[in-house]
Amino acid sequence: MEFIDYYKVLDLDKGASQSDIKKAYRKLARKYHPDINPNNKEAEKKFKEINEAHMVLSNPENRKKYDQYGKDWQHAEEFEKAKKSRQYSYGPQSSGSSQGYSGQDFSDFFESMFGGSQNFGGRGRVKFRGQDLNASLQLHIRDVYTSHKRTLTINNKKIRLNIPAGIENGQTIKISGHGGPGQQGGPNGDLYISFTIINDTPFKRDGNNLYTTVNLDLYKAVLGGDITVDSFEGQVKLKVKPETQNGTKVKLKGKGFPVYKKEGQFGDLYITYNIVVPTKLSPKEKELFSELATLKKHA
Amino acid sequence: MGNEHYIAITDFCISHNISSKFILELHDYGLIELISMEKTRYIPLQQLPRAEKILRLYSDLEINLEGIAVINHLLDRIEKMQDEIIFLKNKLHLYEE
């Protein structure tokens, strides 16, 4: 357990007035508040430190105790004993362990000296929003082709989640109120889930559009005809125009990926033709190709 | 849409220990949407996280409503830019393969 210099946390001198402490707290809290810095772990950590420092220094009685025992924190245990003996007369509300934001988020130093935030009665408004939680979920691209429900276990709590079709790789969704519990009437934090989408299909995804390459035999490319190609929903019949060139792109409207949170709307599927030149030609085939070449030369 | 999609302003104010005047002020500033049904004003449920965030900024940081409006606007812009970064990263990944 390390000693924490709360004055240093708030960038203050030991002789700082209550107004200096308030000003310093406001300045730093505005900079590091979790609502201003969503998904920023560093800011969240800093905000907790600032809060802790403010809770101690803004209360003259606790500041006095901190100034007295803080440097020599080994004596905190004795201080704690004395404090506990006083607590019994306060009734059941002031005993018990602190929860949520305080239980998890105050430093060991703070817990040891002050026993959590519940022993702070001096500050009028000490409502704390619960901690935001972050989780990551790995899904296969086929899983996010359709909306589905999934049950996640986060901090031993089961959360039933509706995963809308069309979620992007790297996208984060917020589940309001499913983060850490709020303290002293404060609201619960939020749960942020980041998605990693694994794609091992022949389809490349760019937003709502899908891209794939289809091999086309030379004869069908030259003469045209019908082919069957794979889409995410199954096989699709496609007409190939005569004299199709290598690299030709064809768009299949509405056969791409579902648009996020827009039910019934889909992107497009782009197919690029890769014309396959026949190999291992028989003497007869070679003869016919030569004939074609001669015809072309004289055309 | 039924009433389960809305929360009455009075209920919201009781649970957050604030006056309904404050919520109406948020509405006047264009910070949250309200709807009226049978002489009662409601907050749509999807607006709740936004309303709660505004309350936290107002009470934790003592930021006035003008400041909150600016913060919300900038946070919306950051969110859009982050979405765009994800989109562009995925696009770049497509060409790197």
Side-chain angles (χ1 to χ4, degrees):
Chain A
M1 185 173 63
E2 250 177 78
F3 166 70
I4 298 174
D5 187 341
Y6 290 139
Y7 290 99
K8 207 171 162 187
V9 169
L10 292 180
D11 198 18
L12 291 167
D13 294 328
K14 280 241 162 160
S17 66
Q18 280 300 310
S19 141
D20 292 337
I21 291 167
K22 200 173 179 180
K23 258 191 238 166
Y25 168 73
R26 275 188 188 167
K27 189 181 157 193
L28 292 168
R30 282 179 183 176
K31 192 172 170 187
Y32 294 108
H33 195 279
D35 280 322
I36 312 267
N37 299 276
N39 295 326
N40 185 339
K41 288 234 171 251
E42 268 304 302
E44 199 181 303
K45 187 172 164 256
K46 191 89 183 149
F47 183 68
K48 283 168 196 161
E49 287 170 8
I50 296 160
N51 257 323
E52 189 175 302
H54 181 243
M55 282 180 86
V56 175
L57 300 183
S58 65
N59 180 317
E61 195 189 335
N62 289 312
R63 184 181 177 187
K64 199 176 150 193
K65 285 174 193 168
Y66 173 75
D67 288 343
Q68 194 177 347
Y69 295 100
K71 260 188 196 170
D72 197 11
W73 57 265
Q74 285 91 338
H75 289 295
E77 205 178 321
E78 292 160 33
F79 166 69
E80 187 70 11
K81 272 183 203 162
K83 181 167 62 65
K84 271 185 184 158
S85 68
R86 284 199 304 277
Q87 267 183 10
Y88 293 122
S89 60
Y90 293 168
Q93 276 187 326
S94 55
S95 62
S97 64
S98 50
Q99 290 174 13
Y101 200 91
S102 63
Q104 288 173 11
D105 302 305
F106 286 102
S107 66
D108 291 344
F109 172 75
F110 180 93
E111 293 284 353
S112 163
M113 272 203 87
F114 300 102
S117 66
Q118 296 192 357
N119 297 311
F120 281 75
R123 200 175 160 213
R125 171 183 52 77
V126 197
K127 275 186 183 179
F128 283 111
R129 180 174 172 265
Q131 192 185 11
D132 285 341
L133 298 177
N134 292 289
S136 56
L137 188 58
Q138 212 175 53
L139 295 173
H140 192 269
I141 193 164
R142 291 203 185 271
D143 295 334
V144 290
Y145 186 74
T146 48
S147 295
H148 67 284
K149 285 189 166 37
R150 201 169 267 243
T151 306
L152 301 181
T153 306
I154 290 165
N155 283 356
N156 298 323
K157 226 169 84 184
K158 281 193 174 170
I159 295 167
R160 202 161 153 75
L161 191 67
N162 184 38
I163 298 174
I167 281 211
E168 283 256 13
N169 183 40
Q171 192 174 338
T172 302
I173 62 169
K174 184 171 90 172
I175 317 288
S176 296
H178 279 86
Q183 187 212 332
Q184 296 180 25
N188 287 353
D190 301 324
L191 168 66
Y192 290 87
I193 301 177
S194 303
F195 290 88
T196 305
I197 312 293
I198 299 164
N199 184 4
D200 54 5
T201 68
F203 300 96
K204 284 184 178 177
R205 181 182 172 196
D206 180 13
N208 308 314
N209 295 329
L210 292 172
Y211 296 81
T212 193
T213 302
V214 166
N215 286 340
L216 196 63
D217 71 65
L218 180 73
Y219 311 103
K220 208 149 262 177
V222 174
L223 304 170
D226 291 338
I227 56 163
T228 310
V229 295
D230 288 327
S231 79
F232 246 78
E233 276 182 323
Q235 293 200 311
V236 181
K237 245 186 168 184
L238 202 60
K239 262 200 174 352
V240 178
K241 284 183 189 167
E243 297 172 21
T244 293
Q245 301 297 309
N246 189 40
T248 300
K249 275 192 174 71
V250 177
K251 181 168 94 172
L252 300 185
K253 211 169 162 48
K255 294 288 176 193
F257 219 70
V259 181
Y260 180 67
K261 284 197 170 173
K262 286 189 178 160
E263 213 178 313
Q265 284 189 39
F266 288 81
D268 304 321
L269 169 62
Y270 290 86
I271 290 169
T272 305
Y273 289 131
N274 175 43
I275 295 172
V276 181
V277 175
T279 53
K280 294 175 187 165
L281 297 177
S282 65
K284 179 72 183 164
E285 283 173 314
K286 274 186 190 166
E287 191 190 315
L288 289 170
F289 271 113
S290 305
E291 205 175 313
L292 276 173
T294 318
L295 268 175
K296 194 75 187 162
K297 213 182 272 178
H298 298 294
Chain B
M1 242 187 270
N3 272 8
E4 69 272 20
H5 294 102
Y6 305 100
I7 180 165
I9 287 182
T10 44
D11 294 341
F12 181 82
C13 291
I14 289 167
S15 70
H16 287 86
N17 197 22
I18 51 167
S19 87
S20 53
K21 213 176 135 191
F22 180 73
I23 294 296
L24 297 175
E25 217 176 334
L26 293 184
H27 176 62
D28 291 343
Y29 270 85
L31 290 170
I32 57 165
E33 286 170 27
L34 297 178
I35 66 143
S36 296
M37 282 190 291
E38 294 163 4
K39 290 183 184 171
T40 307
R41 299 193 90 173
Y42 295 89
I43 303 173
L45 274 192
Q46 75 266 25
Q47 289 275 307
L48 266 193
R50 192 177 175 89
E52 285 172 342
K53 185 169 85 180
I54 291 168
L55 281 186
R56 289 193 298 271
L57 292 173
Y58 187 80
S59 60
D60 290 359
L61 302 181
E62 298 173 22
I63 295 174
N64 62 17
L65 297 186
E66 288 88 344
I68 291 173
V70 172
I71 287 168
N72 271 343
H73 172 69
L74 292 175
L75 285 176
D76 285 346
R77 277 184 63 183
I78 288 171
E79 202 180 318
K80 265 186 200 158
M81 282 195 275
Q82 278 170 339
D83 286 347
E84 207 174 328
I85 288 170
I86 290 172
F87 175 78
L88 292 173
K89 268 187 183 169
N90 286 339
K91 209 178 176 98
L92 188 66
H93 188 59
L94 195 75
Y95 293 106
E96 278 173 347
E97 274 175 358

